[in-house]
Every structure is written in C-alpha cells, then in structure tokens.
Amino acid sequence: MAFQGILMRLARPFRRAARDRSGATAVEFALIGVPFFFTLLALGEVAVMSLAQSNLDFALSETARRIRTGEIQQEGLTALDVRNDVCARMRRVLPVECDGNLFVDVRRFNAYTEVVGGDPAADGRLEEGEMTFQPGEPSDIVLVRGFYQHQVFTPFFQSIFANVSGGRRVMSSAILFRNEPWPGT
C-alpha cells in the first residue's frame, strides 16, 4: 500500500499537466505547422516548375510552327536566332535566363522510322555539343526539341527535383512534324 501511495504522489504532477490546457494551441501548431509549411513550399516549387514546363511547350510549339511553314528557312535564320525566338516567347510569362540554360535541337529526317532524338543530358549536365540545326526543306520530316535548365529554388527540394548538377532540373519538349510545301520552292 505504501508503494501505491508513492506512485500516486509521483503521478500527481503528470495528471495536473494532462488537465492543463494553457499552451495546447501552441503545441498543436508546432506539430501541424511544420508539415503544413513544408507541404505549402513543395506545392509552390512544383507549381513554378509546371509553369516553366508549360511555358517551354508553348514557346517551342510557336517556333516549330515557323519552321513548319518555312518562315525561318526563307528568312535565313540561324540556330542562335531560333533559340532567341524561343527565349523571347518564354520571357512573356516567366523571367527566364536563357544563356546557358536554353538549348534548341532541330533535326531533319527522311522517314518517320529514322527519327531518333537521344538524351543530351550526361554526367549530370546538358551537352550543348549534341544540339544541331537542320530545319529542312519543304515536305521534310523535322524533330524540334527544346531543353531548359530550371533552377530549383528551395535547397531542400534540389535533391528531390534536380536531375542535373547545380540544383537544376532539365525540362524538355519535343515536336515532330512534316514541313509544309511553302511557296517559292
């Protein structure tokens, strides 16, 4: 019986603390707040990456349309001009840094069965030397690919979302089509 009395006296402060409700909201916020803000930050990061991907898709499709109709070939534009065109279209939505981050690869093929793209990302970086510029002639099959290295903003998520070195994620977009028979050929 004496042992039970000692246990009751030792348990008294714990029972009192269990009934005390002051500070409960702060404790609940501490338990819920950290995962909530972590999730909110992750959603923001994913939203920015999705916007950058959609932006790249749109900009590349608009530039590919100019290749398909022969506008770029007839104007004699170079690979740098085409990259700058894609960059200008991307900047309409997001403030993107294109120098060293945006690459455009344009390849001409004789048949759809010959189409090969290859992956220009190797050893944790994007190989610019793998890019070519062959916009083709009327009725040629053309593959237009764009690669944009997006900087992942949150350091914690760089290890999760990044797929090349430097905490960056390479986003890609590709369009395959047959050039139209444009006038003057």
Side-chain angles (χ1 to χ4, degrees):
M1 217 32 141
F3 181 69
Q4 189 177 11
I6 293 172
L7 284 176
M8 294 291 278
R9 268 186 263 132
L10 287 174
R12 194 174 303 150
F14 293 107
R15 275 188 269 141
R16 211 175 314 133
R19 285 190 306 262
D20 188 7
R21 295 290 177 215
S22 62
T25 304
V27 171
E28 289 171 358
F29 181 77
L31 292 173
I32 302 298
V34 172
F36 172 75
F37 286 115
F38 183 77
T39 303
L40 197 61
L41 195 59
L43 284 173
E45 192 74 58
V46 169
V48 169
M49 287 189 326
S50 297
L51 182 61
Q53 178 65 55
S54 296
N55 197 13
L56 175 63
D57 291 342
F58 170 75
L60 196 69
S61 70
E62 289 296 307
T63 301
R65 182 190 59 76
R66 294 183 64 210
I67 292 172
R68 184 173 48 247
T69 59
E71 184 180 336
I72 285 178
Q73 293 90 322
Q74 291 174 338
E75 289 179 13
L77 298 181
T78 65
L80 182 61
D81 295 331
V82 169
R83 186 189 69 83
N84 290 340
D85 185 56
V86 173
C87 184
R89 292 174 192 281
M90 287 182 71
R91 285 188 175 144
R92 291 180 185 174
V93 178
L94 284 176
V96 296
E97 178 58 45
C98 294
D99 294 333
N101 291 324
L102 177 66
F103 302 95
V104 178
D105 183 40
V106 180
R107 297 172 188 252
R108 177 201 146 307
F109 298 96
N110 293 321
Y112 285 106
T113 55
E114 296 176 2
V115 175
V116 206
D119 185 11
D123 300 324
R125 61 190 197 97
L126 197 58
E127 296 291 333
E128 186 177 1
E130 299 291 320
M131 307 298 158
T132 63
F133 183 69
Q134 306 164 339
E137 297 298 320
S139 301
D140 281 347
I141 296 168
V142 178
L143 173 65
V144 179
R145 300 184 306 162
F147 302 94
Y148 177 67
Q149 296 184 89
H150 171 74
Q151 181 66 45
V152 179
F153 299 114
T154 313
F156 177 79
F157 293 118
Q158 287 179 352
S159 62
I160 298 169
F161 295 132
N163 58 4
V164 291
S165 63
R168 295 173 296 174
R169 177 164 190 83
V170 174
M171 298 178 181
S172 64
S173 185
I175 301 168
L176 179 66
F177 54 86
R178 182 179 293 276
N179 280 344
E180 295 177 1
W182 56 79
T185 55

